Amino acid sequence: MLFFIVFLLFSALILRLGIVQIVYGDDFKREIERTEDITVNNPVPRGKMFDRNGKVIVDNIPEKAITYTKYQGTSQQDMIEVATLLAKYIDKDDEEVRERDMKDYWILTDEERAKEKITEAEWDQYREKELTDKEIYNLQLKRITEEDLLEVEEDKEILAIFREFNKGYALTPQIVKKGVTDKEFAFVSENLEQLPGVDTTTDWKRDYVFKNTLRTIIGNISEEGLPSEQLDYYLSRGYSRNDRVGSSYIEQQYEDVLHGKKAKIKNITDKAGNVLDTEVISEGERGKDLVLTIDMDLQLAVEKIIEEEMLAAKKDPRTALLDRAFVVLMDPYTGEILTMAGKQIGKDEDGKQVMNDYSRGTFTSSYNVGSAIKGATVLAGFNTGAITPGTRIHDTPVVIANSNPKGSWKQGLGTLNDIDALKVSSNVYMFHTAIRMANGIYRPGQPLPFDSSAFDTMRNYFGQFGLGVRTGIDLPNEMVGFKGMDRSIPGLLMDLSIGQYDTYTPMQLVQYVSAIANGGYRIQPRMVKEIREPVMKNDEIGPVIQEIEPNVLNKIDAEPGWLERVQEGFRRVMQEPNGTAAGKFRGKPYSPAGKTGTAQAQYDGPVKFTGEKPGVMNLSLVGYAPHDNPEIAMAVMVPWAYYNEGPSINNNIGSRVFDTYFELKKKRNEEQADPQGPEHEVENIDEAQEGQEDRITEEALSSE
């Protein structure tokens, strides 16, 4: 019976083995050989930036790097062993290692002593599930002493490498060190078999060809992966957590264009997570290139002018608080920014005076600009019926009860019409325009009742020019300026009419004067001219993908002839005797037009004062040229130029900038001339300017 039972059992076993092998054999074989496909994205270099003439502004330069790829199933102990060996071949900066990193490392490398940090009673609570894993770990962290951490001190370099290992994600290479020396690169390359997961590669970094020029506008890229405040935004768009992205200004604004198309790699792994094979699904492509509207030759020349004029002005003791100046040059018909220059005097680490780039201040900082905005005031007066073309007003100080007299910068200006009021910069003319807009009846020495809604009326009209509103420039963090809040005092309305109440940015000023120059169209300023395909050769620009078209934001509400009167007033400012800018601009061959501005302001800069802040003068200048066929518009802003009186640095800068623009234009026209003869001459800049008005097309106007 026993033998028979054993026979039956063996027969059943043989039958079962047969079923497993014959019936299910292929299934089990497939299960054993089963693999998993995991696709990862490898980053590519960002797109370049060029100026309007094809000069490289921002490039990528290769640099040797060491990476670590974390495979599935790799333990923390395995990673520590690799980090320990890698530390023998490279030097790794350990400044970013924190105390918490050191405690985590101590627990990992000395588990027995870490367990001893927990009492038996606490372990009993843990076994009874009264304490969680996290609570036990936090108790261990809390009880690590300074003496314990001293043991880790000598391993800080290993810890720094291990810390980089942990930043990576499964099967995604994580950069451990950039800027690797040739010696380090060779040592690691020779020992890759002993360093699982480690590899040597070529990474890239941004190269700013013109150093500090436009650095505050170009922006930066994140070096520690995606910014935490925008993590979900980027992850939803297919980014990896350790991708570098634009973190400010142009780099941020055009991230989608500059980021490029990442390479897709398929890793084939077995059940244990071991990589059996890799397959390239798609090759990566460097980010698309940006052609900026900036003319770098002109930009550099303007920056030099600003620096020279500021340093010359600083020799005057009355300019002690002067520390910055701005210039913006824009095509008044297309909105293309040719120059966005800002300089700020600062100190380096040794306390020496330096000139820092502050180009972003052209649209992120605002100031009282003074009389430069009087063209908008005159047009607001026309629009509301407060004055009409040719209205004459006698320039004598305005005296309101219980207030100080308010007059023009100079006595004896006489009786003026609107054009000459602009020419000689009459404050009184603007005061009476504002009073009439507010339905006030002025009687010298008497109270002045007025309609405070005139503040909104004037500001709304100013907004049509871009004053006090966003210009729409294609950069983040644009400032709109500050509006005065007190609407109960008629004198403040008069201050608003001469640019001494609300604050405006230099970018708003150039948009405002461009609208006057081009016949009443507010054009959106822009920094990017074209988007182009990337090409391999460093000295070439790829084909155009997209050309950014001019965008008309609105047309100024003005009847025919109104703008012509303001344009004539601006022409006289610069070209006729007694014009406030004639001393620097009269007789210039390019026939300029514009308006000066001087604003009494309260200093609000970086210098600290224990008592009341001193009064200062802000200087401004807006202009365009030639006056009868404008091709360039300009705004100059010099805050806190001097205390009460001082050098006219705004006019000095403005005249030199216009001179430089037209000299550079002439030089380029000569260079473009075909040496074979005039019949083969290429179209020059003058010819390109003809018919500029046609660039404001019906299609552009429909964007209103």
Side-chain angles (χ1 to χ4, degrees):
M1 288 295 293
L2 181 61
F3 177 80
F4 184 68
I5 291 171
V6 170
F7 173 75
L8 291 177
L9 291 174
F10 270 100
S11 297
L13 179 61
I14 292 170
L15 179 62
R16 181 62 182 166
L17 289 173
I19 292 172
V20 169
Q21 183 172 355
I22 297 171
V23 178
Y24 298 108
D26 290 340
D27 292 340
F28 285 117
K29 183 179 180 181
R30 283 194 296 269
E31 180 66 21
I32 291 172
E33 295 176 350
R34 182 170 63 87
T35 60
E36 185 176 359
D37 296 344
I38 301 176
T39 301
V40 297
N41 296 321
N42 289 342
V44 293
R46 291 175 73 79
K48 300 178 182 181
M49 298 184 200
F50 298 85
D51 85 335
R52 65 189 299 112
N53 300 311
K55 291 186 176 180
V56 178
I57 298 176
V58 183
D59 202 349
N60 302 306
I61 56 175
E63 62 176 352
K64 294 182 176 67
I66 293 172
T67 64
Y68 178 77
T69 303
K70 184 178 180 180
Y71 298 110
Q72 294 178 357
T74 303
S75 68
Q76 295 285 294
Q77 293 297 334
D78 293 337
M79 294 167 66
I80 290 176
E81 290 178 8
V82 175
T84 302
L85 185 57
L86 183 59
K88 296 179 181 179
Y89 302 124
I90 67 172
D91 293 324
K92 177 65 177 175
D93 185 6
D94 59 14
E95 288 185 1
E96 294 185 5
V97 173
R98 301 166 298 175
E99 184 179 285
R100 173 58 188 268
D101 298 322
M102 297 174 70
K103 289 183 176 182
D104 290 333
Y105 182 79
W106 187 88
I107 292 174
L108 277 171
T109 55
D110 204 335
E111 293 182 1
E112 290 300 320
R113 289 174 62 191
K115 290 179 179 178
E116 293 173 2
K117 297 290 183 182
I118 307 300
T119 66
E120 284 300 325
E122 289 166 340
W123 281 122
D124 290 339
Q125 288 179 292
Y126 174 73
R127 284 186 283 270
E128 295 295 328
K129 297 185 178 181
E130 295 177 7
L131 289 176
T132 64
D133 288 324
K134 184 177 181 180
E135 289 171 331
I136 289 291
Y137 193 77
N138 287 336
L139 287 172
Q140 290 174 322
L141 291 173
K142 185 177 180 181
R143 292 168 184 173
I144 294 175
T145 65
E146 292 185 5
E147 289 75 14
D148 294 331
L149 292 181
L150 288 175
E151 300 171 10
V152 181
E153 192 68 32
E154 61 184 18
D155 291 340
K156 281 185 72 174
E157 186 178 24
I158 298 173
L159 176 52
I161 296 173
F162 175 68
R163 185 171 179 267
E164 297 296 332
F165 284 2
N166 275 308
K167 289 182 181 179
Y169 304 93
L171 301 178
T172 301
Q174 168 67 31
I175 293 178
V176 178
K177 182 180 179 181
K178 294 185 291 186
V180 177
T181 66
D182 292 340
K183 184 177 180 180
E184 291 173 328
F185 195 84
F187 278 158
V188 174
S189 299
E190 291 170 2
N191 293 277
L192 289 178
E193 292 184 1
Q194 305 173 41
L195 300 166
V198 175
D199 198 4
T200 52
T201 187
T202 300
D203 191 47
W204 57 270
K205 67 177 181 179
R206 281 308 221 187
D207 178 32
Y208 304 100
V209 178
F210 294 92
K211 307 307 178 187
N212 290 329
T213 299
L214 289 175
R215 277 296 290 117
T216 61
I217 292 295
I218 292 168
N220 298 305
I221 58 174
S222 61
E223 294 295 338
E224 297 296 328
L226 302 181
S228 57
E229 65 274 11
Q230 295 177 294
L231 184 62
D232 292 339
Y233 171 84
Y234 284 115
L235 289 177
S236 66
R237 284 158 175 76
Y239 285 74
S240 301
R241 290 176 180 268
N242 57 355
D243 279 349
R244 285 169 282 183
V245 297
S247 58
S248 59
Y249 298 103
I250 295 178
E251 292 277 18
Q252 178 184 2
Q253 186 76 14
Y254 288 90
E255 168 63 27
D256 292 344
V257 175
L258 294 168
H259 187 66
K261 182 180 179 182
K262 294 189 287 188
K264 289 188 176 182
I265 308 295
K266 181 168 72 176
N267 292 298
I268 303 173
T269 64
D270 59 18
K271 291 178 63 179
N274 299 313
V275 177
L276 303 177
D277 194 14
T278 60
E279 178 183 338
V280 177
I281 298 177
S282 62
E283 296 286 350
E285 184 180 90
R286 178 170 64 80
K288 295 178 177 60
D289 297 331
L290 296 181
V291 176
L292 305 185
T293 60
I294 292 292
D295 183 330
M296 284 306 296
D297 291 336
L298 186 60
Q299 175 78 25
L300 293 171
V302 170
E303 288 188 356
K304 183 179 180 183
I305 290 170
I306 293 174
E307 291 181 5
E308 291 175 350
E309 291 298 333
M310 286 181 68
L311 292 176
K314 289 294 286 182
K315 296 177 182 179
D316 190 319
R318 297 170 296 180
T319 64
L321 297 176
L322 169 64
D323 75 338
R324 65 194 66 187
F326 307 96
V327 173
V328 183
L329 294 176
M330 185 171 90
D331 185 322
Y333 291 94
T334 67
E336 294 179 359
I337 303 294
L338 277 69
T339 293
M340 185 187 288
K343 286 293 180 177
Q344 184 175 22
I345 299 174
K347 292 184 178 180
D348 61 14
E349 296 177 354
D350 299 325
K352 295 181 180 179
Q353 181 174 286
V354 293
M355 283 283 186
N356 295 319
D357 176 67
Y358 192 32
S359 49
R360 73 169 182 268
T362 56
F363 65 96
T364 63
S365 62
S366 64
Y367 311 93
N368 297 118
V369 302
S371 301
I373 57 97
K374 285 178 178 176
T377 302
V378 169
L379 288 167
F382 290 161
N383 184 262
T384 58
I387 58 174
T388 58
T391 294
R392 299 176 67 82
I393 297 174
H394 186 66
D395 189 291
T396 188
V398 173
V399 181
I400 302 173
N402 302 317
S403 299
N404 294 324
K406 297 176 72 69
S408 296
W409 65 280
K410 181 180 179 181
Q411 298 296 319
L413 293 179
T415 301
L416 305 166
N417 64 12
D418 48 304
I419 294 176
D420 286 328
L422 291 172
K423 171 185 173 181
V424 298
S425 198
S426 169
N427 290 344
V428 172
Y429 197 98
M430 308 304 150
F431 294 159
H432 282 284
T433 299
I435 292 170
R436 296 178 185 185
M437 288 177 63
N439 298 316
I441 299 176
Y442 171 66
R443 296 185 179 89
Q446 298 298 312
L448 179 60
F450 76 112
D451 183 353
S452 63
S453 66
F455 279 97
D456 293 332
T457 301
M458 188 173 292
R459 284 170 175 156
N460 288 339
Y461 198 78
F462 283 5
Q464 293 187 36
F465 292 90
L467 297 170
V469 298
R470 298 191 189 281
T471 65
I473 188 171
D474 53 341
L475 292 171
N477 305 325
E478 181 183 7
M479 186 181 192
V480 297
F482 295 101
K483 292 180 172 62
M485 300 301 293
D486 191 342
R487 296 154 56 99
S488 63
I489 302 174
L492 295 178
L493 178 64
M494 290 186 267
D495 289 341
L496 176 63
S497 72
I498 61 170
Q500 296 196 165
Y501 193 42
D502 291 356
T503 65
Y504 310 109
T505 68
M507 189 61 63
Q508 290 172 343
L509 286 181
V510 79
Q511 189 178 56
Y512 146 74
V513 76
S514 292
I516 292 175
N518 66 31
Y521 298 93
R522 183 164 78 99
I523 306 294
Q524 179 182 1
R526 53 193 171 91
M527 283 291 292
V528 174
K529 182 179 177 68
E530 297 166 343
I531 299 173
R532 290 181 175 253
E533 286 283 2
V535 293
M536 295 301 294
K537 294 184 178 180
N538 288 332
D539 56 347
E540 290 185 6
I541 304 180
V544 175
I545 300 174
Q546 180 183 356
E547 186 173 355
I548 311 301
E549 297 294 333
N551 183 24
V552 178
L553 299 176
N554 61 267
K555 189 175 188 303
I556 307 303
D557 185 8
E559 292 185 5
W562 289 358
L563 276 165
E564 284 82 350
R565 294 191 69 84
V566 172
Q567 291 169 347
E568 175 59 17
F570 278 23
R571 185 195 69 80
R572 294 185 185 185
V573 166
M574 290 189 167
Q575 296 188 38
E576 290 194 356
N578 299 323
T580 55
K584 285 292 182 180
F585 291 93
R586 188 183 178 198
K588 295 288 187 179
Y590 43 80
S591 185
K595 185 72 188 75
T596 57
T598 304
Q600 294 177 328
Q602 200 79 11
Y603 177 75
D604 59 350
V607 179
K608 304 299 181 183
F609 289 90
T610 54
E612 183 180 355
K613 293 182 179 179
V616 289
M617 295 293 185
N618 295 344
L619 301 181
S620 64
L621 175 70
V622 295
Y624 53 88
H627 79 270
D628 55 349
N629 184 25
E631 61 186 70
I632 190 70
M634 173 181 66
V636 179
M637 187 69 222
V638 187
W640 321 317
Y642 47 76
Y643 290 111
N644 295 311
E645 293 182 355
S648 299
I649 182 174
N650 56 333
N651 292 346
N652 295 342
I653 291 175
S655 63
R656 290 186 62 187
V657 167
F658 266 172
D659 289 348
T660 300
Y661 170 83
F662 285 100
E663 287 169 3
L664 182 60
K665 171 189 168 182
K666 179 181 178 181
K667 178 182 177 183
R668 285 175 174 167
N669 284 340
E670 293 172 350
E671 291 174 350
Q672 289 177 5
D674 190 329
Q676 296 182 20
E679 66 276 10
H680 297 288
E681 286 184 4
V682 299
E683 183 183 48
N684 63 27
I685 296 178
D686 278 324
E687 293 167 341
Q689 292 293 338
E690 290 180 5
Q692 290 182 98
E693 292 83 351
D694 294 339
R695 285 182 277 179
I696 303 178
T697 63
E698 291 299 326
E699 289 79 1
L701 284 174
S702 67
S703 67
E704 294 183 44

